[in-house]
Amino acid sequence: NKALLKAFRVEFINRIDEVVLFRPLDAGTAGEILALKLRRLNGQLAAKKMEVRLSPSASEWLLQEGFSESNGARQLQRVFDQHLVRPLASRILAGQSSTRMVLLAEVRNKGIHLSLLGQNE
């Protein structure tokens, strides 16, 4: 509250109902956000009997590209979509799917590559 009093006039502060403090995201929290995004994606893919798994290097790469101390995880959704969701969608549209498919996302050539981990007819 002392910082608020230094920055704003009392008349303004009296109009505020509640003060909420936000802490910057750390790498651990960004990893949890990435895990949540992957669970949501796999939830959507369940209807197509597909699943995507991230190798540790792919998780690390996505976090490195999508998270920074200064900007938090703002870029993570964009990186996730560009390097994982779009290639996956292209693969689905090209008809490269079977009854049950598990894909592994790995880092190759400084980017994410999807390879077939398992398939059941």
Side-chain angles (χ1 to χ4, degrees):
N1 285 341
K2 291 179 184 179
L4 285 174
L5 290 171
K6 288 181 182 179
F8 300 106
R9 295 177 58 183
V10 174
E11 293 84 4
F12 176 74
I13 293 173
N14 286 335
R15 293 176 183 260
I16 298 174
D17 293 329
E18 187 175 356
V19 176
V20 178
L21 299 176
F22 290 93
R23 293 183 315 228
L25 291 177
D26 59 12
T29 306
E32 291 174 23
I33 292 170
L34 178 60
L36 176 65
K37 290 184 179 310
L38 184 62
R39 279 195 304 274
R40 285 184 180 165
L41 175 63
N42 281 327
Q44 294 171 337
L45 291 173
K48 295 197 174 300
K49 297 183 180 178
M50 295 179 74
E51 179 186 354
V52 173
R53 296 180 186 167
L54 296 179
S55 70
S57 62
S59 293
E60 184 179 318
W61 188 89
L62 288 166
L63 287 172
Q64 184 179 359
E65 294 294 315
F67 172 75
S68 71
E69 294 286 331
S70 59
N71 293 322
R74 288 190 179 122
Q75 190 71 6
L76 188 56
Q77 181 68 48
R78 206 168 295 131
V79 169
F80 189 82
D81 286 345
Q82 181 179 359
H83 295 281
L84 193 63
V85 175
R86 287 182 193 155
L88 179 61
S90 296
R91 193 173 197 149
I92 292 169
L93 290 173
Q96 295 177 350
S97 62
S98 67
T99 305
R100 171 83 175 119
M101 180 183 287
V102 179
L103 298 166
L104 178 64
E106 301 175 288
V107 177
R108 290 191 195 161
N109 300 324
K110 299 180 183 180
I112 299 293
H113 175 78
L114 291 170
S115 59
L116 188 62
L117 187 60
Q119 184 172 347
N120 296 327
E121 293 297 333

